[in-house]
């Protein structure tokens, strides 16, 4: 059995909202054992109050970093220095850098040069250089938006509950920003670009009959687009995303004695 990978989680609290903490920790745990959990910011500032409840709940170690200059995020340098210290003094297999700041681009490149896996997490506003410098990138506001899309309420409130309803509406209007999802959050790489790349890869890598293994196709897409995640487009599985393209078709190969079903994909001849 393969040994579980160890990761260091470094969060830029000056650049990421606390509303994403549940997504960050959940995604981090799926990668492996997060042995180091640090979060950086000026904890004397009232702007960090929304983070404070999350520190103990998620075993995050706060690192105090004063803002010596107005309008300048001083947490960046502290995170970079700590990341290099962890690289040389701690036994970790990878780093999870949570920020939407392009200043971490060079850090991500340097860590990967040392053979470490680098997973970035940030909003869709994150500059492309940092996204591409990471082996994998999670778009937090898109995942947050999809996770918080609620079904229509089929049980409306009674007519005599107007006062309570007004109170809740009033409180929602004055809720802090951390509870509000961005309505304009979109994946960094749009779906049309993904589709075009999929078709191109099928042309170049399919067998004589036009078929290609779905898993192989998925690995290629992930390597080409570090921010690719089928959940960004409303699908929980890559196969479901592929099936949504009318230009493609899939089939299952049961030649492995039914133990593992291998899925293949090809272009529809009647579509082109």
């Amino acid at each position: 059995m393969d040994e579980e990978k160890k990761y260091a989680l470094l969060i830029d609290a000056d650049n990421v909202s606390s509303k994403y903490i549940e997504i960050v920790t959940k995604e981090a745990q799926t990668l492996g054992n997060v042995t180091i959990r640090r979060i950086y910011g000026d904890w004397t500032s009232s702007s960090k109050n929304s983070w404070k409840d999350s520190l103990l709940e998620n075993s995050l170690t706060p690192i105090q970093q004063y803002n010596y200059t107005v309008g300048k995020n001083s947490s960046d340098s502290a995170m970079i220095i700590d990341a290099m210290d962890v690289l040389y003094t701690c036994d970790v297999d990878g780093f999870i850098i949570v920020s939407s700041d392009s200043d971490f681009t060079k850090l991500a490149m340097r860590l990967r040069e040392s053979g470490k896996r680098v997973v970035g997490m940030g909003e869709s506003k994150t500059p492309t250089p940092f996204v591409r410098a990471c082996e994998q990138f999670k778009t937090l506001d898109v995942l947050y938006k999809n996770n918080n899309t609620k079904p229509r309420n089929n049980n409306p409130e009674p007519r005599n509950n107007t006062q309570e309803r007004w109170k809740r509406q009033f409180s929602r209007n004055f809720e802090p920003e951390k509870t509000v999802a961005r309505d304009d959050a979109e994946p960094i790489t749009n779906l049309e670009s993904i589709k075009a790349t999929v078709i191109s890869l099928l042309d170049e890598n399919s067998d004589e009959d036009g078929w290609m293994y779905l898993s192989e196709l998925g690995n290629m897409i992930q390597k080409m687009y570090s921010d690719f995640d089928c959940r960004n487009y409303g699908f929980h599985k890559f196969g479901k995303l592929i099936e949504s393209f009318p230009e493609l078709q899939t089939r299952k190969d049961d030649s492995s004695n039914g133990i593992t079903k291998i899925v293949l994909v090809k272009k529809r001849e009647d579509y082109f």
Side-chain angles (χ1 to χ4, degrees):
M1 183 177 179
D2 294 336
E3 186 177 353
E4 190 174 26
K5 300 295 184 181
K6 298 178 182 178
Y7 283 85
L9 172 63
L10 308 178
I11 303 175
D12 179 7
D14 290 332
N15 202 264
V16 173
S17 172
S18 61
K19 69 184 180 183
Y20 299 129
I21 187 60
E22 184 177 349
I23 295 176
V24 169
T25 54
K26 182 178 179 181
E27 295 296 322
Q29 289 168 354
T30 63
L31 296 170
N33 184 15
V34 184
T35 56
I36 297 174
R37 303 180 180 214
R38 299 177 186 174
I39 182 168
Y40 301 76
D42 183 0
W43 301 104
T44 63
S45 172
S46 60
S47 63
K48 299 298 181 295
N49 288 340
S50 61
W51 270 109
K52 291 179 180 178
D53 290 338
S54 301
L55 301 183
L56 290 177
E57 293 176 2
N58 296 280
S59 300
L60 297 172
T61 302
I63 306 297
Q64 172 63 30
Q65 185 62 40
Y66 292 101
N67 289 326
Y68 300 110
T69 304
V70 177
K72 179 63 178 176
N73 182 359
S74 60
S75 297
D76 296 2
S77 57
M79 277 183 62
I80 293 172
I81 292 172
D82 272 12
M84 297 308 295
D85 284 343
V86 171
L87 174 64
Y88 289 112
T89 62
C90 301
D91 179 22
V92 296
D93 301 292
F95 290 79
I96 304 169
I97 302 175
V98 184
S99 179
S100 301
D101 197 334
S102 62
D103 288 348
F104 296 105
T105 301
K106 184 60 179 177
L107 172 63
M109 295 170 61
R110 177 64 181 83
L111 295 174
R112 293 188 67 181
E113 287 176 359
S114 296
K116 304 299 181 181
R117 188 183 185 198
V118 178
V119 177
M121 297 186 189
E123 292 188 317
S124 53
K125 67 181 181 181
T126 305
T128 301
F130 177 48
V131 175
R132 299 292 181 246
C134 299
E135 183 176 345
Q136 194 174 4
F137 189 87
K138 303 291 184 179
T139 313
L140 295 175
D141 49 342
V142 176
L143 293 175
Y144 183 89
K145 176 183 177 181
N146 292 341
N147 288 347
N148 287 273
T149 301
K150 296 181 179 179
R152 181 178 178 180
N153 183 11
N154 294 322
N155 298 306
E157 299 178 60
R159 291 179 180 270
N160 61 0
N161 206 19
T162 304
Q163 186 176 5
E164 288 299 320
R165 185 170 64 251
W166 181 86
K167 287 181 179 179
R168 285 195 292 272
Q169 180 63 41
F170 180 84
S171 64
R172 280 198 296 268
N173 290 338
F174 291 92
E175 282 179 342
E177 180 185 359
K178 67 175 183 176
T179 61
V180 180
R182 286 182 52 193
D183 292 332
D184 61 341
E186 297 291 342
I188 297 174
T189 303
N190 61 58
L191 190 56
E192 288 301 316
S193 297
I194 297 296
K195 181 194 292 185
T197 302
V198 165
I199 294 175
S200 176
L201 289 173
L202 285 172
D203 288 334
E204 298 170 2
N205 299 279
S206 60
D207 60 20
E208 295 181 355
D209 295 324
W211 292 101
M212 181 178 179
Y213 290 117
L214 181 67
S215 58
E216 182 183 359
L217 178 62
N219 289 335
M220 289 184 175
I221 290 293
Q222 184 66 75
K223 289 179 180 179
M224 296 178 69
Y225 298 100
S226 57
D227 63 296
F228 175 75
D229 189 323
C230 57
R231 294 172 299 173
N232 292 343
Y233 311 98
F235 299 90
H236 289 286
K237 293 184 178 181
F238 181 60
K240 295 297 182 182
L241 172 63
I242 293 298
E243 290 174 357
S244 72
F245 297 152
E247 302 92 335
L248 307 178
Q249 61 179 315
T250 61
R251 71 176 176 86
K252 293 182 179 179
D253 184 2
D254 296 323
S255 59
S256 56
N257 298 323
I259 298 177
T260 303
K261 291 185 177 180
I262 301 175
V263 181
L264 298 98
V265 57
K266 70 175 295 187
K267 293 165 55 178
R268 290 186 182 275
E269 297 178 357
D270 57 348
Y271 197 94
F272 293 90

